[in-house]
């Protein structure tokens, strides 16, 4: 239920029959919610996630450069291409992201939070102690690198345009799309009540 469709636009130029250099922009989002996805009456792992009760959303902007290979190559150029053609792609990408979550009404001590009910930026809060000097943890970046790979199906449109539907995977070099990667930090170390609550 958390899966969302993405949108992208890609420009490509043939460098060899059936092989294209491609530059693309993609916009998508990822989200998750322990309360909805986990079962409090299930096995130990789902009960634990239900009790943890974390949630997030993250809108991701990606700019990629790579190669695309038609699986039905042709030598006729753009005008002689097939009406429907499957393809594969691989490349490199840089993406911008910022995980967010809704602030609860109160912190753990029951003190009301000014941001209650609002989506707040988790990276800036340093929820794993990244903003606590004594821990020496560095904040994760707003930008990341990825290696996109996938397959697609292109439908020829008039002129030099195609309508593409593709499914891709990304090899990421960060574990912070959901703001969670390392260990929990002693709540007493947080000075910011919102960071402590989140």
């Amino acid at each position: 239920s958390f899966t969302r469709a993405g949108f992208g636009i890609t420009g490509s130029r043939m460098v060899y029959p059936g092989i294209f250099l491609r530059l693309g922009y993609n916009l998508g989002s990822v989200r998750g919610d322990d309360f909805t996805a986990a079962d409090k009456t299930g096995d130990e792992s789902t009960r634990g996630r239900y009790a943890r009760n974390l949630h997030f959303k993250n809108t991701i902007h990606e700019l990629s450069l790579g190669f695309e290979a038609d699986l039905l190559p042709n030598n006729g150029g753009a005008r002689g291409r097939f009406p429907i053609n499957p393809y594969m792609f691989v490349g490199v990408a840089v993406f911008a992201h910022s995980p967010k979550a809704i602030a609860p009404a109160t912190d753990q001590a029951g003190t009301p939070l000014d941001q209650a009910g609002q989506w707040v930026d988790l990276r800036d809060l340093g929820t794993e102690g990244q903003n606590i000097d004594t821990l020496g943890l560095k904040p994760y970046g707003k930008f990341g690198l990825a290696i996109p790979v996938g397959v697609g199906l292109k439908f020829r449109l008039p002129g030099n345009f195609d309508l593409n539907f593709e499914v891709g995977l990304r090899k990421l070099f960060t574990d912070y799309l959901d703001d969670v990667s390392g260990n929990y930090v002693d709540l007493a170390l947080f000075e910011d009540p919102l960071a402590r609550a989140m």
Side-chain angles (χ1 to χ4, degrees), residues 19 75 128 132 162:
I19 306 293
N75 295 318
E128 290 188 349
I132 300 171
D162 292 318

Side-chain angles (χ1 to χ4, degrees), residues 55 57 100-105 113-122 194 198:
H55 70 281
K57 73 174 181 179
K100 295 177 172 43
I102 296 176
L113 294 171
D114 293 338
Q115 300 86 349
Q118 299 174 24
W119 286 96
V120 295
D121 188 326
L122 296 171
L194 180 59
M198 299 307 286

Side-chain angles (χ1 to χ4, degrees), residues 41-84:
T41 61
D43 65 25
E44 186 175 324
S45 67
T46 61
R47 285 195 314 269
R49 285 199 324 263
Y50 184 86
R52 181 179 68 173
N53 197 29
L54 292 179
H55 70 281
F56 80 101
K57 73 174 181 179
N58 194 344
T59 301
I60 301 169
H61 300 267
E62 176 194 78
L63 189 62
S64 64
L65 178 67
F67 289 97
E68 178 180 307
D70 285 347
L71 298 182
L72 301 173
N74 68 77
N75 295 318
R79 294 174 195 231
R81 67 196 192 278
F82 294 102
I84 300 175

